[in-house]
């Protein structure tokens, strides 16, 4: 059914642009249409623009039209929805070297607006995927400290029993730096595991000291109890 919130004029223009994008194969024409989408983007028009670009990204073979796909991701990552996040995350995970900088930036942008979907992805991904995504988010200057801490809490929950690498230490550092006391009980749980890993020589002294410092910085009742000799 026709979207009643979209004006007739806007809908006609967007329909015309969508038809041009679909019919013409020249990448310069397609990029010109995407530039117009970016120019016309607002709360109303995004209801038509976002699904259209999402569908293009799903159907596009990433071995061709890379310039068009790059521009499509740049446009939709600023205005995208949950489906956009899923599409871009999958492309980022699969990796196309020529698109990596664009994919990194697009995923950071669309992640910040889709926390529930980010949490879902973390719960469903393997350690390597979680690690790579966490590093991308934690090192970005475009992501708020609270968002990073929220992600770190979910990553720690998903990886707490992991012995493949020491991602938990990096995650705990983000939680500590953000003073994210909401995750203090989870951090205390991890401390018990870290203590055993240190005894089993799976963790260096430097790493264990880092864990202790992070737990101390959280300054919660839970952390105080577990550090009490």
């Amino acid at each position: 059914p026709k979207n009643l919130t979209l004006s007739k004029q806007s809908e006609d223009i967007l329909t015309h642009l969508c038809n041009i994008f679909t019919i013409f194969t020249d990448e310069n024409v397609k990029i010109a249409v995407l530039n117009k989408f970016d120019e016309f983007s607002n709360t109303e028009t995004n209801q038509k623009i976002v699904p259209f670009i999402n569908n293009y990204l799903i159907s596009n073979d990433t071995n061709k039209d890379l310039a068009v796909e790059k521009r499509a991701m740049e446009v939709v990552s600023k205005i995208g929805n949950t489906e956009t996040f899923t599409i871009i995350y999958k492309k980022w995970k699969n990796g196309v070297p020529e698109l990596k900088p664009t994919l990194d930036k697009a995923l950071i942008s669309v992640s910040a607006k889709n926390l529930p979907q980010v949490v879902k992805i973390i719960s469903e991904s393997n350690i390597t995927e979680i690690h790579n995504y966490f590093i991308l988010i934690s090192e970005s200057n475009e992501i708020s400290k609270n968002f990073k801490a929220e992600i770190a809490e979910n990553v720690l929950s998903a990886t707490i029993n992991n012995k493949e690498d020491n991602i938990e230490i990096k995650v705990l550092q983000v939680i500590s730096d953000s003073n994210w006391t909401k995750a203090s009980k989870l951090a205390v749980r991890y401390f018990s595991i870290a203590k055993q890993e240190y005894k089993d020589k799976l963790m260096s002294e430097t790493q264990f000291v880092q864990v202790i410092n992070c737990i101390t910085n959280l300054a919660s009742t839970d952390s105080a109890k577990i550090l009490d000799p």
Side-chain angles (χ1 to χ4, degrees):
K2 185 173 176 179
N3 188 339
L4 297 178
T5 65
L6 191 60
S7 72
K8 181 69 167 62
Q9 183 181 17
S10 295
E11 181 150 349
D12 287 347
I13 292 172
L14 289 176
T15 298
H16 184 57
L17 288 171
C18 290
N19 288 339
I20 292 173
F21 185 94
T22 303
I23 293 168
F24 286 86
T25 57
D26 185 272
E27 71 174 27
N28 292 321
V29 173
K30 288 181 179 291
I31 290 171
V33 170
L34 290 167
N35 290 340
K36 282 298 179 183
F37 282 160
D38 199 17
E39 182 182 328
F40 291 157
S41 174
N42 60 47
T43 305
E44 286 184 6
T45 59
N46 289 349
Q47 295 175 49
K48 189 175 181 74
I49 292 171
V50 172
F52 182 82
I53 298 180
N54 283 350
N55 288 336
Y56 166 73
L57 290 174
I58 290 171
S59 63
N60 186 51
D61 180 350
T62 54
N63 292 321
K64 66 177 183 179
D65 297 332
L66 292 180
V68 179
E69 181 158 1
K70 176 181 177 182
R71 185 61 184 135
M73 286 190 290
E74 289 172 346
V75 173
V76 81
S77 65
K78 296 182 288 186
I79 58 176
N81 54 22
T82 298
E83 184 185 26
T84 309
F85 170 81
T86 303
I87 293 165
I88 291 178
Y89 178 79
K90 183 178 179 181
K91 287 180 177 290
W92 176 83
K93 184 176 70 171
N94 293 338
V96 177
E98 298 90 340
L99 290 175
K100 187 179 186 312
T102 301
L103 281 165
D104 284 352
K105 190 172 181 178
L107 185 58
I108 288 168
S109 178
V110 78
S111 290
K113 300 184 282 287
N114 287 282
L115 180 59
Q117 191 65 15
V118 170
V119 171
K120 183 173 183 291
I121 286 289
I122 290 171
S123 69
E124 295 173 350
S125 299
N126 62 44
I127 294 297
T128 300
E129 292 166 355
I130 293 173
H131 194 156
N132 291 341
Y133 178 73
F134 173 74
I135 294 301
L136 177 72
I137 294 299
S138 65
E139 293 181 353
S140 171
N141 294 325
E142 298 176 29
I143 297 290
S144 72
K145 183 177 281 191
N146 281 356
F147 188 90
K148 289 179 182 180
E150 189 82 52
I151 297 306
E153 179 183 356
N154 282 277
V155 169
L156 183 58
S157 178
T159 64
I160 195 164
N161 294 312
N162 159 58
K163 288 185 169 58
E164 295 177 30
D165 59 23
N166 285 308
I167 182 177
E168 296 87 356
I169 298 175
K170 298 174 186 176
V171 171
L172 191 62
Q173 189 66 59
V174 170
I175 290 172
S176 172
D177 290 345
S178 304
N179 194 27
W180 194 249
T181 54
K182 180 169 168 279
S184 60
K185 288 186 178 180
L186 186 61
V188 165
R189 268 183 62 205
Y190 174 64
F191 179 77
S192 299
I193 295 170
K195 185 162 60 174
Q196 189 60 50
E197 287 184 354
Y198 175 63
K199 288 179 181 177
D200 295 340
K201 302 191 183 304
L202 297 173
M203 181 179 291
S204 69
E205 181 178 343
T206 300
Q207 289 172 326
F208 188 53
V209 169
Q210 184 180 355
V211 171
I212 292 172
N213 288 338
C214 288
I215 296 291
T216 304
N217 288 345
L218 287 173
S220 70
T221 304
D222 296 309
S223 64
K225 284 179 181 177
I226 198 163
L227 292 171
D228 192 27

